[in-house]
Amino acid sequence: MHKIYFATGNPNKLREAKNILGEVGYEVEQLDCEYPELQADDLETISAYGARWCADRLDRDVMVDDSGIFIETLNGFPGPYSRYVEDHLGNRKVLKLMEGETNRRAVFSTVVGFCRPGGEPRTFTGEVVGTISFEERGTHGFGYDPIFLYEGRTFGELDDFKKNRISHRGNAMRKFAQWLELDPR
Ligand code: IMP
């Protein structure tokens, strides 16, 4: 079975990646490689930088995952700053920020970055469109899952299997796996 080395310190991302990529025939192994979080306005730049940094440092093929939630009425905020906002404000304060807003559309995005040592990084973007709920719901998932509504249920109310079928991460990782099949080396 072909192995994919995933540089992440996030056990939730790792679990989801194992399921998503496992279903299409890949084994995922976690790599301990904390890359510097580049300050940039788009996830692609951050992801590509992280993948290259780890691939060159560890001298092996590496996958990374950079994700964010883009809220339309906040002009895409928090987007690439999602981790910072989650850590410093949390979902309750995000909901407070959204009080009185009728446009609650939000896009969840994952950019998978992949790089081989000495090579150019590639990125694969997956998205899912939903809305920001009015309250936190559900005990599954992590991060923004309890406030991201998709077809009447928050991601926090979906088990991994259901979330992975439709999620930003599922879409990005399946795209990556398809590309890898054509370029296996
Ligand atoms: P990062 O990709 O680790 O920088 O994640 C950015 C922020 O989005 C963190 O606060 C994560 O907890 C959150 N996040 C990433 N992926 C997901 C997801 O699939 N569901 C909910 N929150 C997520």
Side-chain angles (χ1 to χ4, degrees):
M1 194 188 254
H2 191 89
K3 227 183 217 184
I4 293 172
Y5 292 94
F6 184 16
T8 183
N10 184 328
N12 297 292
K13 284 187 184 180
L14 179 67
R15 189 188 65 247
E16 291 183 7
K18 278 179 186 273
N19 289 332
I20 296 162
L21 291 168
E23 272 200 7
V24 288
Y26 290 96
E27 189 183 338
V28 174
E29 190 173 314
Q30 183 179 22
L31 280 183
D32 194 13
C33 176
E34 259 197 48
Y35 50 94
E37 268 264 337
L38 200 67
Q39 286 297 322
D41 287 340
D42 61 293
L43 299 178
E44 279 79 10
T45 308
I46 301 169
S47 198
Y49 176 83
R52 195 205 296 261
W53 198 89
C54 291
D56 289 344
R57 173 132 319 194
L58 302 174
D59 198 26
R60 65 162 48 152
D61 299 0
V62 173
M63 173 182 86
V64 301
D65 164 324
D66 207 70
S67 301
I69 190 162
F70 297 74
I71 303 175
E72 193 169 84
T73 196
L74 304 180
N75 298 319
F77 186 79
Y81 310 104
S82 294
R83 168 130 47 120
Y84 188 85
V85 168
E86 183 76 34
D87 290 349
H88 292 84
L89 298 180
N91 287 337
R92 297 249 174 90
K93 292 231 168 88
V94 173
L95 290 179
K96 197 130 193 82
L97 212 56
M98 291 296 287
E99 262 174 23
E101 292 292 350
T102 47
N103 173 12
R104 307 187 71 86
R105 192 172 184 274
V107 178
F108 229 134
S109 181
T110 288
V111 178
V112 164
F114 177 74
C115 196
R116 297 192 164 103
E120 281 301 311
R122 291 187 156 264
T123 57
F124 305 86
T125 301
E127 291 187 337
V128 57
V129 180
T131 56
I132 300 298
S133 62
F134 288 91
E135 74 283 304
E136 291 185 272
R137 269 170 32 195
T139 53
H140 293 285
F142 66 103
Y144 296 94
D145 283 343
I147 63 165
F148 185 78
L149 259 181
Y150 179 83
E151 293 184 350
R153 283 198 281 178
T154 69
F155 272 9
E157 293 175 301
L158 302 182
D159 61 29
D160 271 3
F161 181 74
K162 288 192 184 120
K163 176 184 170 187
N164 292 341
R165 257 194 340 212
I166 50 174
S167 76
H168 45 315
R169 179 161 300 106
N171 293 334
M173 290 192 174
R174 281 186 290 269
K175 228 188 234 184
F176 167 50
Q178 262 175 15
W179 173 81
L180 207 54
E181 249 162 61
L182 303 174
D183 186 35
R185 262 196 306 141

